[in-house]
Amino acid sequence: MSQITIKSPKHCATKQGLKIERNYKKLFYVFSAFFTSILLLILLIWLILHPSKPQFSLKQVDIYQLNLSGPNLNSSIQLTLLSKNPNQKVGIYYDEFQVYATYKGQQITGDTPVPPFYQGQEENNLLTASLVGNGLPVAPSLGYEVGRDQTVGRLVLNVKVNGKLRWKVATWVSGRYRFNVNCVSIIAFGPSAPLTSKQGARCSTTI
């Protein structure tokens, strides 16, 4: 006497569900392997090329105004900054670029934006910026510092840059990286404006 086994609809549905689940797992593994391979390829390219930091130097600084009015400071500074991309195979997108000046550790101008630009491999760019500070509040001791530097005959000015950049390798473009630049300029402090420095100064860059 033969035995007839009839599978219930619930049993069939469970079996079908397990089959669909296996297919989803296979697709997940395939996509995971694909994306992992892409990430490893990008990492390999990055390690091979290993882009160097951009280089900056001050070419000229002109101080047209540096006047204290009570606790406030008015300033006007014109500068020329040289930007260099030392990489042979990596371009740089500068998405944000803000320039300002500090004196004795105090910011004496507002943030001046430079329009975004692209810098090709081993390319140099001359950037000019007009830095202005109108009625900026400063420490009371700054007046004494200005008078002392005028007596000595020189002042030390820091030009700083804050911004964001992206690296470009062939058609691949990286995410954004924040960078900071600090330039130190020693300027002869004469009796009349403008105070000018054409000696140039190397700048330090951190990313």
Side-chain angles (χ1 to χ4, degrees):
M1 184 176 180
S2 60
Q3 184 176 0
I4 299 174
T5 302
I6 301 176
K7 295 181 180 180
S8 67
K10 183 178 180 181
H11 177 79
C12 293
T14 302
K15 189 174 181 180
Q16 186 69 19
L18 291 172
K19 186 176 180 181
I20 292 173
E21 186 178 348
R22 288 194 205 101
N23 289 335
Y24 277 126
K25 284 184 178 180
K26 286 180 181 178
L27 286 174
F28 174 76
Y29 291 141
V30 168
F31 281 117
S32 296
F34 174 75
F35 284 118
T36 302
S37 300
I38 294 295
L39 290 174
L40 288 175
L41 179 61
I42 291 172
L43 179 62
L44 181 62
I45 293 173
W46 180 265
L47 290 175
I48 291 173
L49 296 174
H50 192 64
S52 300
K53 295 184 293 187
Q55 299 170 359
F56 295 89
S57 60
L58 271 176
K59 305 306 290 182
Q60 183 171 340
V61 178
D62 298 304
I63 301 178
Y64 291 95
Q65 185 181 20
L66 191 63
N67 296 330
L68 278 165
S69 177
N72 298 323
L73 177 74
N74 297 315
S75 61
S76 176
I77 301 171
Q78 181 78 27
L79 62 87
T80 302
L81 186 67
L82 176 66
S83 171
K84 179 181 179 181
N85 177 7
N87 298 286
Q88 295 181 350
K89 298 181 180 180
V90 181
I92 304 174
Y93 284 106
Y94 290 98
D95 296 328
E96 293 182 16
F97 204 103
Q98 301 275 347
V99 188
Y100 64 96
T102 66
Y103 173 67
K104 302 297 183 182
Q106 299 185 63
Q107 185 168 342
I108 60 170
T109 70
D111 296 337
T112 299
V114 173
F117 65 97
Y118 173 74
Q119 190 171 51
Q121 298 91 334
E122 297 185 308
E123 187 174 275
N124 296 334
N125 294 95
L126 277 176
L127 310 172
T128 59
S130 297
L131 313 182
V132 178
N134 290 321
L136 291 178
V138 293
S141 61
L142 195 67
Y144 168 76
E145 298 287 356
V146 171
R148 188 175 66 173
D149 284 349
Q150 193 166 21
T151 301
V152 172
R154 69 173 190 175
L155 64 82
V156 178
L157 185 76
N158 287 75
V159 174
K160 299 193 176 186
V161 179
N162 295 328
K164 293 180 181 179
L165 60 78
R166 291 175 294 158
W167 307 105
K168 182 179 183 296
V169 181
T171 58
W172 176 76
V173 179
S174 74
R176 288 184 172 184
Y177 290 83
R178 180 166 292 280
F179 71 96
N180 299 283
V181 180
N182 183 33
C183 309
V184 181
S185 180
I186 300 175
I187 303 171
F189 204 157
S192 60
L195 309 179
T196 301
S197 173
K198 295 183 180 180
Q199 296 178 358
R202 290 298 299 270
C203 310
S204 61
T205 305
T206 57
I207 295 180

